């Protein structure tokens, strides 16, 4: 009996722990407390820096620009509000006040929150479903999140058109952890694509990706990482920096931009050194053919020194009519053989998740990534984007680790319906905590 109890206790200790919203908000609070208030000290300061940042975060987390307005109204009537009980705000600032305060805060001061969440997920075993190719896959992909013909700041990039007009815009790399078969992606700290001091040319996505490596690669020590990206990344300088920090890569490799490599492939194919593999699979009463070509240890470029890479190609067709459903080629440092080449190409294909499960959700499913929440004169646009990403990350984590949250999301069905319920309930009812709100949504008590 005692052994059985000890065994159950050990099983209990090995179970992944729930990451509550309270814990996640503690990570955010710790980061905010480490930020120097950009305002001059004054007795007339009405709202704290903490209230301003949490206020902005709460709008994204609740997916409602009117959330704070409802809470100020509740506070005036009841003396308390859900802004206090759910997010820990002391006073509820207005949106213009939030914009003025947050504009002076660097977005990078919030990057530590992403790292804290990643480490907690890893520590508690929640990343096990994302394990692939012996480690984790991280997709790098840039996206634009603001543009205007008039508004601009020192952090804006610009694009001049043939008619003489100029578009000012903001963009960033939004890295995510993903895996084939997983519907969720886990957001990591963004890297902003901005004009860099000392550079005549405007910043580009690859330069930003190199900065992301420099700033964040140390966070993944002890965990094998494979980076995914499009053809933009599959060139020697980028690949060398990835290998230097102990990471691997699977990048799209187009013939138009890698003529030297493809000349090698043509020669190797002519002498029979390009290996082939064909796998047929049934799916929904149709049979599909997966045709692979692969070769190990070829130079990435003509000029020397050239790093050696492994190359593979997948052509996915429907057997009944021969229609090509997917075709792409990749370079990697993963060894390719009959067992690994399907895994490597599947990983390369999974990069679409960063569009479908990350960018598209952020832009079209309530987070309104491309909406201009405020541009400011310094850091407002990038800081608001970061808080928006953190809101998305926190909901993802709750979905992965919190059974009650999973149940209410499943019960409510659509993402839109879930957030409509959140707003309606918090507009009229005061809840003691986030768990009280979720329990009310589940059980009506």
């Amino acid at each position: 009996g005692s052994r059985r109890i000890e065994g159950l206790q050990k099983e209990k200790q090995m179970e992944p722990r729930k990451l509550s919203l309270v814990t996640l908000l503690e990570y955010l609070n710790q980061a905010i407390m480490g930020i120097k208030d950009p305002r001059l000290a004054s007795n007339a300061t009405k709202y704290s820096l903490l209230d301003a940042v949490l206020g902005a975060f709460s709008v994204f987390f609740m997916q409602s620009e009117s959330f704070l307005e409802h809470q100020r109204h509740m506070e005036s009537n009841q003396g308390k509000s859900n802004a206090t009980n759910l997010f820990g705000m002391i006073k509820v600032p207005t949106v213009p006040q939030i914009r003025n305060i947050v504009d002076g805060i660097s977005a990078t001061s919030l990057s530590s929150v992403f790292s804290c969440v990643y480490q907690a997920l890893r520590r508690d075993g929640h990343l096990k479903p994302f394990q692939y190719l012996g480690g984790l896959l991280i997709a790098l992909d840039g996206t634009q999140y603001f543009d205007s013909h008039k508004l601009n700041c020192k952090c804006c990039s610009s694009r001049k058109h043939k008619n003489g007009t100029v578009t000012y815009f903001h963009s960033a790399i939004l890295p995510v952890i993903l895996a084939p078969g997983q519907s969720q992606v886990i957001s990591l700290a963004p890297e902003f694509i901005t004009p860099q001091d000392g550079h005549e040319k405007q910043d580009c996505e690859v330069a930003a990706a190199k900065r992301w490596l420099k700033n964040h690669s140390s966070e993944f020590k002890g965990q094998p990482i494979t980076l995914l990206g499009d053809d933009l990344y599959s060139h020697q300088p980028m690949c060398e920096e990835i290998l230097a920090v102990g990471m691997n890569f699977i990048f799209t490799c187009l013939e138009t931009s890698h003529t030297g490599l493809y000349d090698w492939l043509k020669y190797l194919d002519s002498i029979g050194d390009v290996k082939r593999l064909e796998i047929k699979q049934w799916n929904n009463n149709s049979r599909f053919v997966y045709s692979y070509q692969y070769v190990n240890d070829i130079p990435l470029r003509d000029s020397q020194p050239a790093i050696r890479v492994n190359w593979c190609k997948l052509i996915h067709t429907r057997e009944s009519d021969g229609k090509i459903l997917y075709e792409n080629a990749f370079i990697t440092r993963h060894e390719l053989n009959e067992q690994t080449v399907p895994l490597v190409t599947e990983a390369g294909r999974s990069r679409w998740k960063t569009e479908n499960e990350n960018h598209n959700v952020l832009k079209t499913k309530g987070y309104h990534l491309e909406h201009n929440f405020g541009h400011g004169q310094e850091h407002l646009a990038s800081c608001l984007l970061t808080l928006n990403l953190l809101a998305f990350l926190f909901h993802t984590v709750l979905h992965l680790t919190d059974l009650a949250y999973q149940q209410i999301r499943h019960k409510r069905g659509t993402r839109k319906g879930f957030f409509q319920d959140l707003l309606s309930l918090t507009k009229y009812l005061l809840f003691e905590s986030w768990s009280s709100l979720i329990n009310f949504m589940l059980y009506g008590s």
Side-chain angles (χ1 to χ4, degrees):
S2 61
R3 289 182 179 178
R4 175 62 180 157
I5 291 171
E6 288 175 7
L8 289 172
Q9 288 175 339
K10 287 181 179 179
E11 288 179 16
K12 184 75 174 175
Q13 291 172 357
M14 292 173 66
E15 288 178 0
R17 288 185 291 176
K18 180 178 77 171
L19 273 172
S20 67
L21 180 61
V22 172
T23 302
L24 296 172
L25 285 173
E26 284 177 1
Y27 297 149
L28 179 56
N29 273 263
Q30 289 168 8
I32 299 169
M33 296 300 287
I35 301 172
K36 183 179 179 181
D37 197 321
R39 298 167 294 178
L40 296 174
S42 170
N43 293 330
T45 301
K46 186 176 180 181
Y47 299 103
S48 69
L49 180 65
L50 187 66
D51 284 341
V53 179
L54 289 176
F57 171 80
S58 70
V59 168
F60 295 123
F61 187 84
M62 302 299 285
Q63 290 195 5
S64 170
E65 288 189 80
S66 59
F67 173 72
L68 294 177
E69 181 184 342
H70 297 327
Q71 300 316 303
R72 279 194 303 276
H73 182 71
M74 179 179 285
E75 194 174 57
S76 65
N77 289 337
Q78 300 187 38
K80 290 184 179 180
S81 75
N82 290 305
T84 297
N85 290 0
L86 302 184
F87 299 100
M89 282 177 263
I90 306 302
K91 294 181 180 180
V92 185
T94 65
V95 171
Q97 288 162 334
I98 288 174
R99 286 176 177 153
N100 288 336
I101 298 170
V102 172
D103 190 29
I105 300 171
S106 171
T108 57
S109 59
L110 299 169
S111 294
S112 61
V113 186
F114 294 92
S115 179
C116 288
V117 172
Y118 164 76
Q119 297 298 343
L121 289 171
R122 184 184 175 190
R123 178 195 66 220
D124 296 342
H126 296 295
L127 293 179
K128 288 179 181 177
F130 290 86
Q131 291 284 324
Y132 197 84
L133 290 173
L136 294 174
L137 306 177
I138 296 178
L140 302 176
D141 197 24
T143 191
Q144 187 171 304
Y145 63 94
F146 168 86
D147 69 81
S148 172
H149 292 299
K150 296 180 180 179
L151 291 175
N152 67 89
C153 67
K154 63 182 181 182
C155 295
C156 276
S157 298
S158 60
R159 187 184 300 116
K160 193 169 184 178
H161 305 284
K162 291 181 179 179
N163 62 4
T165 61
V166 177
T167 297
Y168 300 98
F169 63 94
H170 287 266
S171 54
I173 291 177
L174 308 184
V176 293
I177 297 171
L178 51 80
Q182 291 296 316
S183 58
Q184 277 98 13
V185 298
I186 298 170
S187 297
L188 299 171
E191 188 66 47
F192 295 95
I193 302 173
T194 57
Q196 298 295 298
D197 292 337
H199 288 247
E200 291 184 9
K201 292 183 179 180
Q202 295 197 106
D203 197 19
C204 66
E205 188 173 327
V206 173
K210 290 178 180 178
R211 286 201 307 278
W212 184 86
L213 272 179
K214 181 181 178 181
N215 294 332
H216 300 287
S217 60
S218 61
E219 298 169 17
F220 303 96
K221 282 187 176 178
Q223 175 70 71
I225 299 294
T226 299
L227 298 180
L228 310 178
D230 59 22
D231 186 77
L232 188 68
Y233 297 103
S234 60
H235 298 275
Q236 180 139 333
M238 182 69 193
C239 293
E240 284 179 328
E241 297 211 17
I242 293 167
L243 296 173
V245 297
M247 293 183 177
N248 208 323
F249 54 82
I250 301 172
F251 292 148
T252 301
C253 181
L254 301 178
E255 185 171 3
T256 51
S257 55
H258 294 81
T259 54
L261 181 144
Y262 277 86
D263 285 343
W264 266 100
L265 286 170
K266 288 172 187 174
Y267 167 71
L268 292 173
D269 196 27
S270 70
I271 61 175
D273 280 359
V274 175
K275 296 177 177 146
R276 284 172 165 77
L277 172 68
E278 185 174 279
I279 298 174
K280 295 183 179 182
Q281 291 182 350
W282 286 92
N283 188 12
N284 295 330
N285 299 320
S286 294
R287 194 152 79 155
F288 299 94
V289 181
Y290 297 82
S291 300
Y292 302 94
Q293 300 173 44
Y294 62 98
V295 64
N296 290 302
D297 196 34
I298 60 173
L300 179 56
R301 64 183 184 185
D302 274 339
S303 58
Q304 295 298 324
I307 64 171
R308 314 290 286 192
V309 296
N310 307 325
W311 173 92
C312 58
K313 182 177 182 178
L314 166 64
I315 302 177
H316 175 198
T317 59
R318 187 164 53 215
E319 189 177 53
S320 59
D321 58 5
K323 181 179 179 181
I324 295 177
L325 304 175
Y326 179 85
E327 181 177 357
N328 214 342
F330 306 95
I331 57 166
T332 183
R333 289 281 284 231
H334 287 286
E335 186 74 15
L336 298 176
N337 53 50
E338 289 192 356
Q339 287 72 44
T340 61
V341 72
L343 299 175
V344 168
T345 55
E346 185 65 17
R349 290 185 71 173
S350 70
R351 194 178 63 83
W352 66 269
K353 288 177 180 289
T354 194
E355 283 289 340
N356 281 22
E357 306 298 335
N358 190 53
H359 298 357
N360 288 348
V361 169
L362 287 166
K363 291 178 181 179
T364 65
K365 304 296 183 183
Y367 294 92
H368 307 290
L369 186 74
E370 294 177 312
H371 177 75
N372 178 21
F373 290 101
H375 183 262
Q377 295 300 313
E378 293 186 81
H379 308 291
L380 183 61
S382 58
C383 201
L384 293 180
L385 172 77
T386 304
L387 290 168
N388 204 351
L389 291 175
L390 284 171
F392 177 57
L393 173 62
F394 283 16
H395 279 293
T396 301
V397 170
L398 292 172
H399 208 154
L400 288 171
T401 73
D402 190 325
L403 181 59
Y405 183 94
Q406 293 170 10
Q407 290 174 333
I408 192 59
R409 285 292 299 270
H410 178 73
K411 180 180 178 181
R412 193 58 185 88
T414 65
R415 186 190 302 265
K416 184 177 180 181
F418 170 74
F419 284 103
Q420 285 176 339
D421 286 356
L422 279 185
L423 182 60
S424 297
L425 288 171
T426 54
K427 180 179 179 180
Y428 297 108
L429 301 175
L430 180 65
F431 294 91
E432 291 182 2
S433 64
W434 172 256
S435 59
S436 298
L437 171 57
I438 293 296
N439 285 334
F440 185 86
M441 294 174 76
L442 267 179
Y443 310 114
S445 62

